[in-house]
Amino acid sequence: MIYVCIPSHNEAGTVGVLLWKIRKILGEFDRPYRAVVHDDGSTDTTSEVLARYGRSLPLTVLRSDERIGYAASVERLLRWVVDDAPYPKRDCAVVLQGDFTEDPQDMVGLVKVLEGGADIVAGRDADAGASAPRSVRLTRRFSRLVLGKALKGSPVSDPLSGFRAYRVIVLKKAFRDRPESEPLASSDGWAANLELLGALAPHARRIAEAPLDRRYHLQIRPSRLRPLRTLRALTRLRGGSWWRELDAGAA
């Protein structure tokens, strides 16, 4: 089973089209799948759009009445998958953004690499982010300075991207005996993606990458990236134990 996990906040303009594409792509891929959307306190018509698509494809909608943020939204999706997956060693969860900047076709490449034996498969920008908006490119550039040697010690070339496939057994091991009051990621946005990778990597036998194609030109709403907040969050992470291990390994 492929669980497509979509954190969503006010994505009424894109989430319906995204679900239609998922239905088409994974139907042709011929694998059982379920889309799982967390509607994170949306104030637009996202809930109405999701209700319509629930009749067209296997879809589960989780909802928070008040916004809990990206990191908590992703964790809630992954915890739901762990509880639902019948075959944790075979099933996988793919985290996909709801704003359509990530091509759902790239899920196929992630899953194929995972089926080849990897436990975590991370997406890698085919054009190294050259097509991204200027704010995104500048934040990535300064993030490399903040990450320093630890970036070289990371198990993937882009630890800030959240477009990944996880074997469910990896999630299950990470969540085992871990109460919801102790989240895997306490930051948000890109920093949360880095934290999540750090929390899950020790439970994976093999971590691999697959190319992906960002589609920033299809983004309808303005980017929610906050460069200064992102850089401050990455700076705060430098004191973590996993960070120190990466830093030492890259030395």
Side-chain angles (χ1 to χ4, degrees):
M1 175 75 74
I2 302 171
Y3 292 92
V4 185
C5 299
I6 306 171
S8 176
H9 172 72
N10 288 350
E11 307 288 9
T14 55
V15 72
V17 181
L18 180 62
L19 290 172
W20 180 84
K21 287 286 289 183
I22 289 170
R23 177 174 179 262
K24 181 176 185 297
I25 290 164
L26 293 185
E28 293 174 352
F29 190 39
D30 197 25
R31 301 289 195 282
Y33 74 93
R34 173 165 292 276
V36 190
V37 180
H38 179 246
D39 182 4
D40 187 15
S42 294
T43 56
D44 63 356
T45 59
T46 294
S47 59
E48 288 87 343
V49 173
L50 293 173
R52 291 199 301 271
Y53 278 86
R55 298 187 289 269
S56 304
L57 76 163
L59 172 65
T60 295
V61 178
L62 312 177
R63 178 170 173 80
S64 297
D65 291 333
E66 295 183 0
R67 192 175 183 187
I68 62 176
Y70 169 75
S73 183
V74 170
E75 181 151 339
R76 185 173 178 190
L77 287 163
L78 296 180
R79 283 184 179 274
W80 187 92
V81 168
V82 168
D83 290 339
D84 187 76
Y87 305 106
K89 293 184 178 179
R90 188 172 64 193
D91 299 334
C92 71
V94 179
V95 178
L96 181 67
Q97 300 305 309
D99 62 1
F100 223 64
T101 55
E102 296 167 345
D103 190 345
Q105 183 67 51
D106 290 333
M107 290 189 300
V108 174
L110 295 178
V111 172
K112 283 183 176 180
V113 175
L114 189 136
E115 289 179 343
D119 289 327
I120 298 176
V121 184
R124 182 185 67 250
D125 278 352
D127 67 351
S131 62
R134 186 170 181 271
S135 61
V136 173
R137 286 185 280 112
L138 288 175
T139 305
R140 282 194 172 276
R141 185 180 306 168
F142 284 108
S143 295
R144 294 189 188 99
L145 298 176
V146 172
L147 293 171
K149 293 184 298 181
L151 184 61
K152 297 180 181 179
S154 170
V156 299
S157 59
D158 184 7
L160 303 181
S161 171
F163 195 6
R164 302 179 189 139
Y166 304 103
R167 197 177 296 275
V168 174
I169 190 63
V170 171
L171 302 172
K172 189 171 184 177
K173 290 177 179 178
F175 286 132
R176 187 170 49 203
D177 301 325
R178 191 183 188 112
E180 292 190 27
S181 58
E182 298 179 15
L184 295 181
S186 57
S187 304
D188 213 41
W190 291 3
N193 294 333
L194 178 62
E195 278 191 280
L196 186 60
L197 180 63
L200 297 178
H203 303 286
R205 294 169 300 173
R206 185 161 75 88
I207 300 174
E209 294 183 302
L212 59 85
D213 182 24
R214 300 281 186 185
R215 308 190 307 171
Y216 291 100
H217 63 287
L218 295 179
Q219 190 174 32
I220 293 177
R221 59 162 173 77
S223 173
R224 294 183 182 136
L225 175 68
R226 299 295 180 265
L228 291 178
R229 184 184 303 174
T230 298
L231 295 173
R232 282 197 297 266
L234 291 174
T235 301
R236 284 195 298 269
L237 290 181
R238 292 185 68 94
S241 59
W242 177 70
W243 188 287
R244 289 195 295 272
E245 290 174 7
L246 283 182
D247 215 27

